[in-house]
Amino acid sequence: MSSTAAVRPAGRRRAAIWITLGVIVAVVILFFVFAGLYADILWYQQLGYLNVLTTQWFAGITMFFIGFLGMALPLWLAIQLAYRLRPVYAKLNSQLDRYQQVIEPLRRLAMYGIPIVFGIFAGVSSASRWETAALWLNGTSYGKTDPLFHLDIGFYLFALPFYRSAVGFASAVVLISLLATLATCYLYGSIRVNGREVRISRAARVQISVIAALYLLLQGVSIWLDRYATVTDSNVNDMINGAAYTDVNATIPGRAILAGAAVFVAILFVVTAFVGRWRFPMVGTALLIVAALVVGAIVPWVVQRFQVDPSQKTLESPYVQKGIDSTREAYGLSDIETVPYNAKTTAEQGALRQDAQTTAQIRILDPAVVSPSFRQLQQFRQYYAFPEKLNVDRYNLNGTQQDAVVAVRELQQSGLGGTSNWFNDTIVYTHGYGLVAAYGNQRSPDGQPVFMESGIPTTGTLGTYQPRIYFGEQSPTYSIVGAPSGSKKVELDYPGGANGAQQTYTTFDGNGGPKLDNVFKRLVYALKFQDEQIVLSDAVNSDSQILYDRDPIKRVQKVAPYLTLDSQAYPAVVDGRVKWIIDGYTTSDQFPYSHVGSLSDATADKDTPKPAYAFDDINYIRNSVKATVDAYDGSVTLYAWDTNDPVLKTWEKVFPGNVKPVSDMSAQLMSHVRYPSDLFKVQRAVLGQYHVTDAGSFYSREDAWTTPNDPTSPSSNPALQPPYYLTMKMPGQDSPAFSLYSTFIPAGTSESSRSVLKGYLAVDADAGDTKGKVASGYGKLRLLQLPSSDTIPGPGQMQNQFDSDPTVSQQLNLLRQGKSEVINGNLLTLPVGGGLLYVQPVYVRSSGETSYPLLQKVLVAFGDKIEFEDTLDQALDALFGGDSGASAGDNNVPTTGGTATGGQTGTGTTTGGSSGGSSAAGNTALQQALQRANQALSDSQAALKSGDWGAYGEAQQRLQQAIADAVAAEGQPAAK
């Protein structure tokens, strides 16, 4: 007895220990979950968008319980009824008897556990669809109807998806309940199978019949709703989305018949519940299945095969026309202006006189090439960085709008090297400094950018503004900033003094993140970031703020989860602050008769890679919101840009008060808003087919276009040419405007495609500079349709002509001396001079470690004529008979004809200067050799044109000797 008594306390102690450990583990897990949720509350609350978080939580929880109860209660009720109405004295066979013996001890658990488990799954599924329910509850009228059923388009955008989802959920609940009923009835004898005889008790018959009737009734509703879904289904050999001839004349009537038949069979099951005859519903069900095969599949096939296919173009044209009209409406292309453009191909003297304002703003600085130049000239310290691709913006300088290439000098902690530690990474190195802007149409004498805003501290033409960049695309994961007034400043502001030997410090005084004003909050964030120093460090004080989620796009996405955001945020100096501007889109894939395409596919090009996996099909898009993120304090502001968009109106009902009206936008902000590039890419992708507005021509696909590949992308992995921002005047415009453009070539396979221009698409991207008022021309799309004679070369052909031109090749070979790299910049196309002008800047980069691209030459072409000069102004004059009639922005640049190739880190001045390295400046022998080479090259060209092959051979020999002398002289020291 004593030993048994001793075992029991020991067993109890072990059980108590395990229970205690389990409770501790559960508490720890719950605290981790709570810490994450509480951190979210603090983040949204500080930003002023707490209702976004709470609305999502409330909607998700509400939908979870609706889904849980919607599944669990009917399933529990079905099982309970089947059990309670079982025959008391049913004779069971031995096998069922054994089953009952096994299940009976777990019966109560199963009767509650099964509904709970299924309910949890249903609740989770329902919670993930809270947005569908929210759109249905708050749906807004579109104001236009679909062309088939004549229902408001808002029905398809907001109501129909919810109805179909709800019917699908209800069908799943009823089906699972029916299966549970059948299993319970069989297990407890309400259904007995004896050979071929099946006996069903009266109670089971009523329950099964009613559930089956409900299921068939739901299927009838589902089939009826499927009629409306035909207007968004792919059809006509995937040419359009929407109901075509066969759908209208066979599928839709057939579904109406099937819906009625399903309801009729449901009535037969209800009758069976009372009369007890299963023959009629069973026959009805069999006939329903046959009818589904005949009416739902065979009849449409017969109509398509024997009526439509022989006369498809004639019969389908009305539906193709609906697809064209709806697609252009859904993608914002209804008001596009199409202009026939009979482009000239002869470069005549003075041809650009009428386009002088455009030529003065031609951007010769390529934002995708000059990032290394910005880094070498403006980085100053290894812990600063610029993005790989810069942005194009414009500023009003002395009453003139000036295109600029801009970037912010962001913090890059990976450059700290050996000085990286928790204190430096979190407390000291917290922010970048300043916006850097270069004139888009200018270059220094040696090819550097000419900066309008530069340096540390910042100087230039953009006025006084807050230069500190706490929120950016490369900001650290988190920083802790702020301190009591009068305390020592510890945040590194910028290097100063001679050669940057001195350091200037600052203290963040904005409202940029949750405050760490008590130990509990510090513990919450220590858990969130898995960093105990947040609790232990004495650098964290009651005035400290923690800044995180600092990427502008991520911040906007969190406060506006219903928006699809543009792939690029761009910075601008607005009202004394650096603001990130982000475009937000509302999208849908339920617009009737509109073409469905992948958003990722449409926006992918040389600058925007395509994701490996994308589930983002859309057939409706609007640039409904313009958002800003303050680079200093991270504040997010949303502006309703497209006030007519019903999708945005609906979401504004879901999240009231979060989006401000356009009237709140300042004049400076309006002056930097631009037409978004991703929306433009989607529209150009759609216009490749839908520029054709005649159904017959569209059906034949006789004039399909595509965007050309970027000629500077690698041939092994070609990518589409991105659209470019330029200030220019399109035919039909009164004056130049900041614009976004792209070109089209004929669509075809890689073997059959031809790179000749067929179209030129541009949009007025300038929103004006009036407070709260959008310029009347903003968003106007103009499509130039070129003649069908195929005389205008596309970008690919033009790049090939540049590369194969003997004069250009020889000069490029000169630039490549000394292992220098020649980089072709963006190939721009401008509709000027009555034709199309191609402009391509050519950069040279030396092989040194600190080298960077320098703009050395400019290629231009008009028709079949090509020129290659040191400046754009010289090239245009040479191209147009010695006088183009207009001046380019680099007309005041003195050139020496040298081959400066970049080298040491520059000083970051706004006037340029020698970049050192292998520059020809000061090297007399090299200059003389280059001059002889240029003279020999000119003599070769003259001899080639006159057909004097003897003189041509002699000039080539002199050219080769001069090149050899230049190579030898390149390594000599410069003359003192």
Side-chain angles (χ1 to χ4, degrees):
M1 290 293 292
S2 59
S3 60
T4 303
V7 169
R8 287 176 180 173
R12 291 194 185 113
R13 284 196 297 271
R14 284 195 298 269
I17 291 173
W18 283 111
I19 292 172
T20 302
L21 288 175
V23 171
I24 293 173
V25 170
V27 169
V28 170
I29 292 173
L30 288 175
F31 187 76
F32 269 91
V33 173
F34 170 78
L37 298 177
Y38 186 56
D40 286 341
I41 291 174
L42 293 175
W43 189 90
Y44 278 94
Q45 189 175 47
Q46 182 276 324
L47 204 55
Y49 289 90
L50 183 59
N51 71 317
V52 174
L53 181 65
T54 56
T55 297
Q56 292 181 82
W57 283 1
F58 176 78
I61 292 171
T62 301
M63 289 299 295
F64 174 84
F65 280 108
I66 290 175
F68 176 83
L69 295 175
M71 173 65 77
L73 283 180
L75 184 56
W76 175 83
L77 182 61
I79 295 174
Q80 286 289 326
L81 287 175
Y83 174 74
R84 292 183 180 279
L85 299 177
R86 71 192 184 282
V88 178
Y89 302 107
K91 295 181 179 180
L92 303 178
N93 58 39
S94 58
Q95 187 175 9
L96 282 177
D97 192 52
R98 286 196 299 270
Y99 286 161
Q100 279 196 9
Q101 292 176 7
V102 172
I103 294 174
E104 189 61 30
L106 302 174
R107 176 178 56 78
R108 187 175 298 275
L109 177 62
M111 284 186 171
Y112 289 95
I114 291 175
I116 288 174
V117 170
F118 276 94
I120 290 173
F121 281 109
V124 171
S125 176
S126 298
S128 66
R129 296 187 175 125
W130 71 267
E131 292 180 336
T132 302
L135 288 174
W136 168 66
L137 286 171
N138 299 278
T140 304
S141 172
Y142 188 90
K144 294 183 179 180
T145 60
D146 76 279
L148 182 61
F149 295 104
H150 305 293
L151 298 173
D152 187 273
I153 291 174
F155 168 79
Y156 299 95
L157 297 178
F158 310 123
L160 184 59
F162 174 79
Y163 293 153
R164 298 184 76 189
S165 178
V167 171
F169 178 84
S171 297
V173 171
V174 172
L175 181 61
I176 293 172
S177 298
L178 177 61
L179 294 176
T181 297
L182 291 172
T184 305
C185 288
Y186 178 71
L187 187 62
Y188 287 97
S190 296
I191 298 177
R192 286 174 291 168
V193 180
N194 187 11
R196 299 177 60 182
E197 184 182 9
V198 178
R199 292 183 175 273
I200 304 176
S201 69
R202 183 177 182 278
R205 183 189 74 228
V206 171
Q207 183 174 346
I208 293 171
S209 298
V210 170
I211 295 176
L214 283 175
Y215 182 77
L216 284 167
L217 185 62
L218 287 170
Q219 295 314 295
V221 175
S222 177
I223 294 170
W224 184 264
L225 292 176
D226 286 345
R227 297 166 60 252
Y228 301 112
T230 56
V231 298
T232 58
D233 291 341
S234 178
N235 219 311
V236 192
N237 299 323
D238 295 328
M239 183 176 295
I240 65 167
N241 271 38
Y245 184 90
T246 300
D247 296 303
V248 173
N249 293 279
T251 303
I252 292 175
R255 288 178 179 175
I257 293 171
L258 288 176
V263 173
F264 178 74
V265 176
I267 294 173
L268 293 180
F269 271 100
V270 173
V271 171
T272 296
F274 295 99
V275 302
R277 294 182 178 273
W278 288 98
R279 179 181 303 173
F280 295 121
M282 292 297 101
V283 171
T285 301
L287 292 176
L288 181 61
I289 295 173
V290 173
L293 291 174
V294 174
V295 178
I298 296 176
V299 171
W301 178 83
V302 170
V303 172
Q304 181 68 34
R305 181 71 178 85
F306 296 102
Q307 186 174 358
V308 176
D309 287 351
S311 307
Q312 190 169 37
K313 185 174 182 179
T314 302
L315 295 178
E316 300 288 22
S317 287
Y319 305 102
V320 172
Q321 190 64 54
K322 292 175 183 177
I324 294 172
D325 297 339
S326 295
T327 298
R328 289 168 70 95
E329 165 70 22
Y331 287 95
L333 298 170
S334 296
D335 297 327
I336 188 170
E337 180 182 343
T338 302
V339 181
Y341 190 62
N342 190 17
K344 298 179 182 178
T345 56
T346 303
E348 300 174 351
Q349 192 175 52
L352 300 183
R353 188 164 288 111
Q354 299 298 320
D355 298 295
Q357 290 177 286
T358 297
T359 57
Q361 284 288 355
I362 295 177
R363 180 175 49 76
I364 56 176
L365 209 61
D366 185 351
V369 172
V370 298
S371 181
S373 303
F374 272 52
R375 285 198 294 270
Q376 290 298 324
L377 299 173
Q378 290 294 317
Q379 184 170 327
F380 297 113
R381 286 291 184 270
Q382 294 303 312
Y383 49 77
Y384 288 134
F386 292 99
E388 287 300 317
K389 182 181 182 298
L390 309 185
N391 287 284
V392 177
D393 199 2
R394 71 279 190 203
Y395 286 88
N396 194 302
L397 305 178
N398 300 320
T400 302
Q401 185 168 280
Q402 174 66 55
D403 288 7
V405 175
V406 301
V408 292
R409 188 185 292 106
E410 290 203 55
L411 179 67
Q412 181 178 263
Q413 289 187 343
S414 60
L416 292 176
T419 63
S420 177
N421 55 57
W422 183 88
F423 185 82
N424 282 342
D425 292 351
T426 308
I427 306 297
V428 179
Y429 294 92
T430 59
H431 62 280
Y433 193 94
L435 180 139
V436 178
Y439 293 92
N441 61 344
Q442 297 182 28
R443 47 158 287 193
S444 70
D446 60 350
Q448 294 182 8
V450 178
F451 295 104
M452 65 171 70
E453 188 77 15
S454 62
I456 295 181
T458 56
T459 58
T461 60
L462 303 187
T464 303
Y465 63 94
Q466 170 59 261
R468 295 166 184 86
I469 311 297
Y470 282 90
F471 293 84
E473 296 173 317
Q474 302 182 56
S475 295
T477 302
Y478 76 94
S479 296
I480 297 177
V481 300
S485 177
S487 61
K488 182 181 178 181
K489 298 178 179 180
V490 296
E491 296 175 46
L492 178 68
D493 205 18
Y494 57 84
N499 299 319
Q502 298 177 0
Q503 308 292 341
T504 301
Y505 293 88
T506 188
T507 297
F508 179 81
D509 62 358
N511 181 20
K515 285 192 173 183
L516 303 177
D517 50 8
N518 58 56
V519 174
F520 182 73
K521 290 183 181 178
R522 297 178 199 175
L523 180 59
V524 165
Y525 281 104
L527 291 174
K528 178 178 178 63
F529 293 108
Q530 301 294 292
D531 196 335
E532 73 282 355
Q533 295 299 323
I534 297 176
V535 176
L536 302 176
S537 175
D538 60 1
V540 182
N541 55 75
S542 60
D543 289 300
S544 293
Q545 300 175 40
I546 184 166
L547 313 182
Y548 62 99
D549 286 342
R550 300 160 76 175
D551 181 86
I553 292 179
K554 183 175 183 179
R555 290 180 78 80
V556 175
Q557 190 67 81
K558 289 185 71 172
V559 303
Y562 51 89
L563 293 178
T564 299
L565 300 182
D566 197 90
S567 58
Q568 190 175 58
Y570 61 97
V573 175
V574 176
D575 302 322
R577 314 280 281 203
V578 176
K579 297 282 184 81
W580 293 95
I581 302 175
I582 303 104
D583 286 284
Y585 310 113
T586 45
T587 61
S588 176
D589 60 355
Q590 296 297 314
F591 198 95
Y593 275 99
S594 177
H595 165 79
V596 174
S598 168
L599 182 63
S600 298
D601 288 346
T603 57
D605 56 25
K606 183 186 176 185
D607 294 339
T608 307
K610 180 181 176 182
Y613 302 99
F615 303 95
D616 54 4
D617 285 348
I618 63 168
N619 69 353
Y620 171 87
I621 185 170
R622 290 291 186 270
N623 178 207
S624 53
V625 171
K626 300 286 186 182
T628 64
V629 176
D630 193 299
Y632 183 72
D633 63 19
S635 56
V636 178
T637 308
L638 308 175
Y639 298 98
W641 189 251
D642 188 342
T643 56
N644 295 320
D645 176 32
V647 181
L648 177 62
K649 290 180 181 179
T650 299
W651 281 117
E652 285 185 286
K653 295 178 185 177
V654 179
F655 300 106
N658 289 349
V659 183
K660 295 184 177 181
V662 173
S663 58
D664 285 0
M665 297 180 74
S666 69
Q668 277 200 15
L669 178 55
M670 293 294 294
S671 69
H672 291 284
V673 166
R674 67 189 191 188
Y675 198 83
S677 59
D678 280 0
L679 173 60
F680 187 76
K681 292 176 189 178
V682 171
Q683 290 175 322
R684 75 175 180 180
V686 171
L687 275 176
Q689 285 285 345
Y690 289 87
H691 69 278
V692 178
T693 57
D694 175 70
S697 301
F698 183 93
Y699 185 87
S700 301
R701 297 180 185 262
E702 59 191 34
D703 192 23
W705 298 345
T706 188
T707 304
N709 286 330
D710 192 303
T712 64
S713 63
S715 57
S716 59
N717 186 28
L720 297 183
Q721 188 178 43
Y724 295 121
Y725 287 101
L726 293 173
T727 293
M728 62 180 179
K729 184 173 76 171
M730 284 281 288
Q733 282 184 291
D734 296 329
S735 59
F738 189 67
S739 305
L740 183 62
Y741 88 87
S742 186
T743 58
F744 293 104
I745 61 174
T749 63
S750 57
E751 295 81 10
S752 63
S753 61
R754 296 168 299 146
S755 183
V756 292
L757 279 190
K758 303 299 294 182
Y760 186 98
L761 177 67
V763 63
D764 187 337
D766 193 347
D769 57 3
T770 304
K771 180 183 184 304
K773 185 178 180 181
V774 183
S776 59
Y778 173 86
K780 179 64 178 178
L781 288 155
R782 294 177 175 88
L783 176 63
L784 304 184
Q785 284 192 315
L786 300 174
S788 58
S789 54
D790 296 345
T791 58
I792 310 298
Q797 278 191 11
M798 186 51 65
Q799 188 69 60
N800 182 65
Q801 291 181 29
F802 282 160
D803 295 340
S804 60
D805 184 272
T807 302
V808 174
S809 297
Q810 290 169 355
Q811 295 191 52
L812 289 176
N813 287 333
L814 282 175
L815 294 174
R816 292 190 180 101
Q817 298 305 313
K819 297 183 180 179
S820 295
E821 178 188 7
V822 174
I823 303 171
N824 290 324
N826 43 208
L827 183 57
L828 305 177
T829 312
L830 295 97
V832 294
L836 288 166
L837 171 70
Y838 280 99
V839 177
Q840 184 174 51
V842 177
Y843 296 82
V844 179
R845 182 172 185 166
S846 71
S847 56
E849 290 184 3
T850 59
S851 64
Y852 55 91
L854 294 174
L855 178 56
Q856 293 296 298
K857 292 282 187 179
V858 181
L859 277 162
V860 295
F862 193 92
D864 294 329
K865 190 175 181 181
I866 296 173
E867 292 295 341
F868 190 40
E869 299 292 341
D870 292 341
T871 69
L872 176 60
D873 195 60
Q874 294 173 1
L876 293 178
D877 283 339
L879 186 66
F880 290 95
D883 180 16
S884 67
S887 297
D890 63 348
N891 60 335
N892 294 320
V893 178
T895 55
T896 62
T899 59
T901 55
Q904 306 302 318
T905 303
T907 61
T909 63
T910 60
T911 58
S914 176
S915 61
S918 57
S919 174
N923 191 329
T924 305
L926 179 57
Q927 287 184 351
Q928 291 175 350
L930 292 173
Q931 289 173 0
R932 293 199 306 274
N934 281 333
Q935 183 60 50
L937 186 61
S938 298
D939 294 344
S940 296
Q941 292 176 298
L944 189 62
K945 290 180 179 179
S946 62
D948 189 343
W949 298 106
Y952 177 78
E954 186 270 337
Q956 285 292 303
Q957 290 179 354
R958 287 191 284 117
L959 176 62
Q960 293 176 4
Q961 183 59 49
I963 291 173
D965 293 343
V967 173
E970 188 177 26
Q972 297 179 9
K976 301 291 186 183

